[in-house]
């Protein structure tokens, strides 16, 4: 297969024409097969023949995860007997949202991950250790495996956790790359240092990092990334994806944002009124999937606030690149006149030596205002530590949250919940 698709290095106008042709195919498919979009087109008097350009997408209402949750079955475009895999993603209204994949969708998923991993430098014959779950209806773990298999890499399916077994596998099978939540790398480093493991001379060259940000908005390393690299000189590559998109945005070797795959997804960055933001401004990522058979999406609002970058990359790709996620739109916090998102607080907490784990809890107080509680487990016993954390928040973010010190054995069970695919460092109780 072609791991470096020609369309990604095509002229911007040629990419636009290509996507508009794919959009026509999608609209016809939805009008013929999707009960949800058939109803949406009818209720809004939309003639798909009038949607000719990417700009014409503005004529179609956006959809959200709530729409899928409330009308899950109506989004399916194929009968149940053509679904070969079921995946779920968390729902904003409580119950998980179900995504089914056809055989064709699994092929598309494998293609997406293969070209994404190739973007990060993984090649045929490389050994890659997956420190991620592949079960529990987790689409990403399955996608990683299928993509690596398709590109001809060797896969070590370790699953998450247990640093001892991870190191045993690394020295046994000599992987060049890891796929992992980046904060777990710090746990692996800590275990190696305490047990005399020569991790700096391992086979690992780099890690594809999922679930947590490792970059600032200017693409410099954030605190988490800096702490990893201070100890272990490996390459860290960002990747951003979601179950709804069935598509990944992964960094190339120049590490200046995740590259769009124009044959798989159309992207819009919208403001609160649903209009396209100006270049250089952040807004809500809104996506239209291309080539999905079972549950395609049209103008789906992801809830993630991002900034797009359009200048050509040194790698030769001319595709749009996504910067680090600023925050989840629904997780915006208004605290005493200051607007905050969890990633900014994560950076501060990751900057502290001695914090074993933490959890940020947001709740409404008795008068309806947002209240921030930081639960911490620490190996430091000084009474002034709590004050140091609070002072650091005040200096960096101009807020002074409530700090609660919690025993590690208690807090770690909620942060590293075995039923969760990544650490639960943020809880919204509003």
């Amino acid at each position: 297969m072609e791991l470096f698709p020609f369309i990604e290095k095509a002229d911007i106008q040629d990419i636009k024409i290509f996507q508009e042709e794919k959009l026509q195919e999608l609209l016809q498919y939805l009008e013929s097969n999707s009960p949800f979009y058939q109803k949406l087109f009818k209720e809004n008097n939309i003639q798909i023949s009038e949607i000719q350009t990417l700009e014409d997408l503005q004529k179609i209402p956006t959809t959200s995860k709530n729409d899928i949750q409330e009308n899950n079955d109506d989004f399916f475009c194929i009968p149940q007997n053509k679904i070969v895999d079921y995946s779920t993603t968390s729902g904003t209204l409580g119950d998980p949202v179900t995504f089914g994949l056809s055989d064709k969708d699994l092929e598309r998923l494998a293609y997406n991950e293969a070209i994404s991993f190739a973007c990060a430098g993984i090649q045929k014959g490389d050994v890659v250790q997956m420190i991620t779950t592949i079960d529990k209806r987790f689409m990403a773990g399955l996608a990683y495996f299928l993509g690596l298999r398709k590109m001809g890499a060797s896969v070590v399916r370790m699953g998450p956790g247990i640093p001892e077994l991870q190191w045993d596998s690394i020295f046994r099978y000599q992987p060049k790359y890891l796929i992992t939540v980046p904060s777990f790398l710090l746990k692996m480093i800590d275990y190696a240092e305490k047990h005399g493991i020569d991790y700096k001379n391992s086979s690992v060259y780099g890690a594809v990092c999922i679930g947590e940000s490792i970059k600032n908005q200017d693409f410099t390393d954030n605190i988490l990334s800096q702490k990893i690299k201070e100890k272990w000189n490996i390459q860290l590559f960002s990747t951003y994806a979601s179950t709804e998109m069935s598509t990944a945005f992964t960094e190339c070797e120049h590490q200046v944002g995740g590259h769009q795959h124009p044959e798989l997804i159309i992207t819009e960055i919208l403001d609160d009124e649903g209009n396209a933001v100006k270049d250089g401004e952040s807004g809500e990522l809104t996506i239209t999937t291309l080539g999905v058979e079972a549950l395609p999406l049209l103008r789906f609002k992801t809830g993630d606030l991002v900034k797009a970058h359009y200048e050509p990359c040194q790698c030769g790709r001319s595709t749009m690149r996504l910067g680090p996620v600023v925050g989840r739109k629904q997780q915006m916090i208004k605290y005493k006149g200051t607007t905050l998102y969890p990633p900014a607080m994560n950076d501060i907490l990751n900057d502290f030596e001695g914090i074993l784990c933490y959890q940020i809890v947001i709740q409404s107080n008795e008068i309806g205002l947002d209240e921030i509680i930081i639960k911490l487990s620490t190996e430091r016993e000084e009474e002034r530590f709590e004050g140091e954390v609070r002072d650091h928040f005040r200096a960096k973010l101009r807020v002074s949250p409530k700090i609660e010190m919690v025993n590690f054995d208690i807090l770690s069970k909620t942060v590293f919940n075995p039923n969760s695919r990544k650490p639960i460092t943020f809880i919204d109780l509003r």
Side-chain angles (χ1 to χ4, degrees), residues 178-406:
L178 309 176
I179 302 175
T180 183
V181 174
S183 59
F184 185 70
L185 293 173
L186 291 175
K187 294 185 177 301
M188 289 181 60
I189 293 168
D190 181 64
Y191 181 90
E193 290 180 340
K194 289 178 178 176
H195 292 82
I197 295 173
D198 188 14
Y199 65 93
K200 293 182 180 179
N201 289 312
S202 73
S203 61
V204 178
Y205 165 80
V208 176
C209 296
I210 66 169
E212 296 171 333
S213 177
I214 56 171
K215 294 288 176 65
N216 297 313
Q217 289 300 314
D218 61 358
F219 300 118
T220 56
D221 290 337
N222 67 9
I223 296 298
L224 176 58
S225 184
Q226 289 175 29
K227 292 185 76 170
I228 294 168
K229 290 183 177 180
E230 284 169 5
K231 296 279 191 174
W232 197 7
N233 185 28
I234 61 174
Q235 295 294 311
L236 302 178
F237 298 90
S238 293
T239 186
Y240 164 79
S242 71
T243 299
E244 294 90 348
M245 296 191 299
S246 293
T247 311
F249 294 76
T250 304
E251 286 185 322
C252 67
E253 67 271 20
H254 297 286
Q255 300 187 3
V256 286
H259 282 279
Q260 176 190 12
H261 302 310
E263 68 273 44
L264 299 179
I265 197 165
I266 295 170
T267 57
E268 302 172 79
I269 314 293
L270 305 180
D271 61 20
D272 289 340
E273 284 71 49
N275 301 312
V277 301
K278 296 178 181 177
D279 285 1
E281 293 182 353
S282 61
E284 184 172 7
L285 177 65
T286 301
I287 59 96
T288 295
T289 56
L290 300 174
V292 173
E293 187 174 44
L295 208 156
L297 293 174
L298 176 64
R299 303 202 78 209
F300 173 78
K301 297 171 72 174
T302 65
D304 289 326
L305 299 175
V306 298
K307 186 185 295 184
H309 299 264
Y310 297 99
E311 64 277 8
C313 182
Q314 293 180 56
C315 72
R317 293 176 179 85
S318 50
T319 47
M320 181 274 286
R321 305 185 312 284
L322 284 184
V325 174
V326 176
R328 292 283 295 168
K329 191 170 184 180
Q330 68 190 52
Q331 291 178 352
M332 184 181 76
I333 304 157
K334 294 291 287 186
Y335 188 74
K336 297 182 179 179
T338 300
T339 299
L340 298 171
Y341 291 97
M345 293 186 280
N346 291 339
D347 274 352
I348 288 176
L349 294 166
N350 288 331
D351 194 24
F352 265 89
E353 295 294 335
I355 292 181
L356 299 174
C357 66
Y358 65 84
Q359 191 170 69
I360 303 163
V361 179
I362 310 299
Q363 61 187 31
S364 297
N365 61 20
E366 63 276 3
I367 57 174
L369 299 177
D370 291 348
E371 185 174 68
I372 305 171
I373 301 170
I374 309 294
K375 297 184 177 182
L376 296 177
S377 294
T378 178
E379 56 191 17
R380 291 174 56 178
E381 297 181 358
E382 311 100 291
E383 291 184 4
R384 67 175 184 272
F385 181 71
E386 182 179 327
E388 288 178 10
V389 176
R390 189 178 291 106
D391 289 345
H392 207 51
F393 266 88
R394 192 179 292 116
K396 295 287 187 179
L397 298 179
R398 303 188 305 280
V399 299
S400 181
K402 181 180 179 181
I403 308 292
E404 290 185 5
M405 309 305 289
V406 184

Side-chain angles (χ1 to χ4, degrees), residues 15-74:
I15 291 176
K16 183 175 186 292
I17 293 170
F18 171 84
Q19 288 206 311
E20 287 171 349
E21 291 174 354
K22 293 291 184 182
L23 176 60
Q24 289 296 310
E25 295 174 11
L26 171 66
L27 291 170
Q28 291 169 17
Y29 182 75
L30 292 175
E31 189 170 61
S32 299
N33 299 284
S34 172
F36 178 84
Y37 286 110
Q38 288 168 351
K39 182 179 178 182
L40 183 140
F41 293 159
K42 184 176 181 180
E43 289 179 347
N44 292 275
N45 298 313
I46 294 169
Q47 301 297 320
I48 62 170
S49 59
E50 297 177 1
I51 311 299
Q52 296 292 324
T53 68
L54 298 185
E55 290 78 13
D56 288 339
L57 279 169
Q58 284 279 344
K59 300 174 183 177
I60 302 173
T62 57
T63 56
S64 68
K65 187 174 283 189
N66 284 359
D67 292 315
I68 306 177
Q69 193 157 33
E70 293 170 353
N71 308 275
N72 209 162
D73 291 345
D74 286 345

Side-chain angles (χ1 to χ4, degrees), residues 83-115:
I83 296 171
V84 297
D85 182 81
Y86 285 100
S87 297
T88 55
T89 184
S90 57
T92 55
L93 301 179
D95 292 332
V97 174
T98 296
F99 281 77
L101 292 92
S102 67
D103 194 62
K104 179 182 174 183
D105 291 337
L106 288 179
E107 279 295 318
R108 179 189 177 281
L109 203 59
Y111 168 81
N112 160 71
E113 290 298 342
I115 61 175

